[in-house]
Amino acid sequence: MQQHLQQARQLIADARRVVALTGAGISAESGIRTFRDPGGLWRNFRPEDLATPEAFKRDPVTVWEWYQWRRQLIAAASPNAGHLALVRLQQRQGLTLITQNVDGLHDRAGSTGILKLHGDIWTLRCTACGHAWHDETHTFAALPPPCERCGAMARPGVVWFGEALPEVVFRQAAEAAAAADLFLVIGTSAVVFPAASLIRQRKNCTVMEINIERTAATSNADLALRGPAGEILPQLVMD
Ligand code: OAD
């Protein structure tokens, strides 16, 4: 492992265009549950009941209750050493940060220009007029909350199963991935598409995975570091 860490440190230091794709695993050490690990959200809840446009149409209050619960848990959490190491890396040599996470912990850590493939749990969007806005309310007066502009029903500003990813964001992510000479895959099971399609072996680009276990991305990785992101990442970017 020490040898791998040394090699990884060098690869990062030498890289010119670093891209990182993060998943729920990077927030695990902040106490936020992942989706597919033991104890993960999709082990206890059915995505089709809570994270699809059909579920919201059927029962918006239940869907909103679930999102409000998650907003409260996330609000009580803090960015961890993994999030902070990515801030350090961005400040030191530049980094395009692509995330599947909606928790906003990368923002709170201080990363900038984050490409959020699956939206943001702190954004609300009107189902009628389309207005979107940032809202950090922990407990809404009523569920579903109303649009701040027109008063119609608002929805969480996240991407649900069966919905398209934000087009511009995905294009920017794909362009950054195509131009990268180092692609870090951090804390994701890499089974949700199209996000996982960004992870590809290409000439002139090293793919480095950081995860506590083997994933669908491992076979595409030139180097796989096994361990918690909050422990490994700080070791990779220390001066
Ligand atoms: P998953 O729950 O599928 O995977 C979490 C990954 O994090 C697993 O590979 C774990 O091994 C790894 N992991 C757990 N703790 C870790 C730690 N401390 N350090 C490093 N790795 C750790 O979560 P995602 O891959 O993010 O989509 O899931 C992708 C998408 O599926 C999510 O964005 C969400 C979900 O449905 C939407 O909400 C649209």
Side-chain angles (χ1 to χ4, degrees):
M1 187 65 177
Q2 264 317 319
Q3 202 184 343
H4 276 164
L5 280 175
Q6 183 53 37
Q7 189 190 353
R9 256 197 299 270
Q10 197 58 50
L11 280 165
I12 291 176
D14 293 344
R16 300 271 159 116
R17 291 175 305 278
V18 188
V19 171
L21 171 68
T22 64
I26 196 166
S27 295
E29 288 152 90
S30 295
I32 311 286
R33 284 158 75 174
T34 65
F35 293 94
R36 296 173 182 82
D37 291 309
L41 291 170
W42 295 153
R43 300 285 185 113
N44 295 287
F45 301 99
R46 284 160 28 105
E48 53 272 45
D49 291 341
L50 298 162
T52 63
E54 294 75 24
F56 188 68
K57 207 166 172 187
R58 220 171 27 237
D59 189 351
V61 174
T62 297
V63 170
W64 255 116
E65 280 170 352
W66 192 66
Y67 277 93
Q68 176 161 274
W69 171 68
R70 285 180 60 201
R71 285 164 65 103
Q72 289 167 349
L73 294 177
I74 292 164
S78 303
N80 65 56
H83 297 105
L84 295 172
L86 292 182
V87 177
R88 173 91 193 91
L89 180 58
Q90 189 172 45
Q91 289 169 347
R92 189 177 76 183
Q93 64 191 83
L95 165 74
T96 303
L97 179 55
I98 307 168
T99 190
Q100 299 166 87
N101 298 348
V102 299
D103 57 28
L105 289 181
H106 283 306
D107 306 75
R108 278 165 63 195
S111 289
T112 56
I114 307 162
L115 297 173
K116 299 177 185 177
L117 297 179
H118 294 162
D120 185 337
I121 203 164
W122 302 108
T123 296
L124 268 61
R125 197 165 75 240
C126 180
T127 56
C129 73
H131 170 60
W133 72 102
H134 184 83
D135 184 309
E136 294 189 4
T137 306
H138 296 172
T139 308
F140 289 103
L143 292 177
C147 172
E148 65 170 12
R149 226 178 240 177
C150 75
M153 192 194 301
R155 58 163 282 178
V158 301
V159 175
W160 283 327
F161 287 98
E163 292 186 318
L165 267 54
E167 204 178 313
V168 174
V169 173
F170 188 73
R171 194 171 59 239
Q172 289 173 334
E175 282 168 4
D181 58 3
L182 178 64
F183 193 94
L184 307 174
V185 184
I186 306 165
T188 176
S189 59
V191 295
V192 172
F193 284 78
S197 70
L198 296 170
I199 310 163
R200 262 197 226 135
Q201 270 189 322
R202 283 185 298 103
K203 233 173 90 190
N204 305 328
C205 179
T206 303
V207 176
M208 189 189 299
E209 176 176 63
I210 294 140
N211 200 300
I212 53 172
E213 60 185 27
R214 202 183 158 81
T215 73
T218 307
S219 58
N220 280 323
D222 301 288
L223 187 62
L225 301 173
R226 289 283 160 261
E231 288 176 24
I232 292 192
L233 284 171
Q235 297 184 63
L236 298 184
V237 299
M238 65 187 184
D239 293 316

